[in-house]
Amino acid sequence: MDLDQSDLQEDFSWNLLSLQLLGKFLGLVWYMPYYTTQRIPPTVLTTLRETRTEPFPLDLEWYLTESVSDGALTLTLPWVCDVLVMMDAVCATLKKTKLLLGAVNNIYNQLSRLPIRQENKVMLLFKLGRVMELLLVPHGLFSLESSNSLDYEPTLDALPLLDSTLLYACCPWLSTLQQVILKQPVSDSAPCSPLPPRSPWSPPATELSSSFARTSFTISRTL
């Protein structure tokens, strides 16, 4: 049975928020046992890499590839990003993780050229930006170099299903960011208030300044 626009938007909103909640839960369950606040010695890191050949119980790269082919990045990419922002330091160094992050980087580099509805693209950029600012990601993995072209045909991504209410529900930190910006003095020399951490084991906000600067430069180049 065909759904009218309101029914389709309601179903999309329910599925998008449910998948993102599931992504956060899976990330917490998968990575919490490996969480540590201490620096891992190189010898121990090598051993941990050998014992963790499968960083993800699900084939996240396959889900991303299918979402590109189906033109449904708006539904799939957000929950995959929610899983990735929860990963631990060891997982970030594994080969399969680097391949997945390479696929994420490829989507990011191609996003401006894909025929995706603008409001959907904005939400995807916010989600990708959270992954690309992770301090755990090996230096130099994300770049703005030319990537492989994507076999993409928009379907769901071309529909007007995302409004401002759903955007703030998907990216709740935007409300905090908006409040921080509104509270800042007009003077450029005034100190900025720190933003809250991204995940339960994110470093303090003061340690995020260099990563934030790198990510801001990357996003500005893309836009």
Side-chain angles (χ1 to χ4, degrees), residues 62-119:
W62 180 85
Y63 284 104
L64 277 184
T65 302
E66 288 297 303
S67 68
V68 171
S69 301
D70 296 339
L73 281 170
T74 310
L75 186 63
T76 304
L77 185 60
W79 74 263
V80 173
C81 289
D82 285 335
V83 172
L84 289 175
V85 298
M86 304 288 282
M87 66 180 171
D88 61 283
V90 177
C91 180
T93 65
L94 299 179
K95 181 178 180 180
K96 287 191 175 181
T97 305
K98 292 180 180 179
L99 291 175
L100 176 60
L101 292 174
V104 170
N105 183 59
N106 190 27
I107 293 174
Y108 179 80
N109 287 337
Q110 301 288 329
L111 195 60
S112 63
R113 296 188 287 271
L114 296 180
I116 299 176
R117 194 173 179 86
Q118 188 62 31
E119 56 266 32

Side-chain angles (χ1 to χ4, degrees), residues 33-53:
Y34 305 101
Y35 165 62
T36 178
T37 57
Q38 300 178 351
R39 182 178 180 276
I40 303 175
T43 54
V44 177
L45 182 60
T46 300
T47 303
L48 291 175
R49 286 173 180 168
E50 293 174 352
T51 57
R52 290 183 65 185
T53 55

Side-chain angles (χ1 to χ4, degrees), residues 12-23:
F12 173 78
S13 301
W14 188 90
N15 283 286
L16 180 63
L17 295 175
S18 298
L19 285 171
Q20 290 195 139
L21 180 61
L22 178 62

Side-chain angles (χ1 to χ4, degrees), residues 196-209:
R198 301 173 304 268
S199 71
W201 42 82
S202 293
T206 53
E207 297 181 18
L208 299 176
S209 57

Side-chain angles (χ1 to χ4, degrees), residues 147-202:
S147 304
N148 297 326
S149 60
L150 299 174
D151 183 15
Y152 178 83
E153 185 67 31
T155 53
L156 187 68
D157 293 338
L159 299 178
L161 301 176
L162 189 72
D163 55 19
S164 59
T165 302
L166 186 55
L167 175 62
Y168 277 94
C170 294
C171 309
W173 67 86
L174 292 181
S175 298
T176 304
L177 179 61
Q178 184 182 40
Q179 294 172 11
V180 170
I181 293 175
L182 292 176
K183 290 180 181 179
Q184 292 306 317
V186 177
S187 174
D188 294 337
S189 60
C192 295
S193 302
L195 292 177
R198 301 173 304 268
S199 71
W201 42 82
S202 293

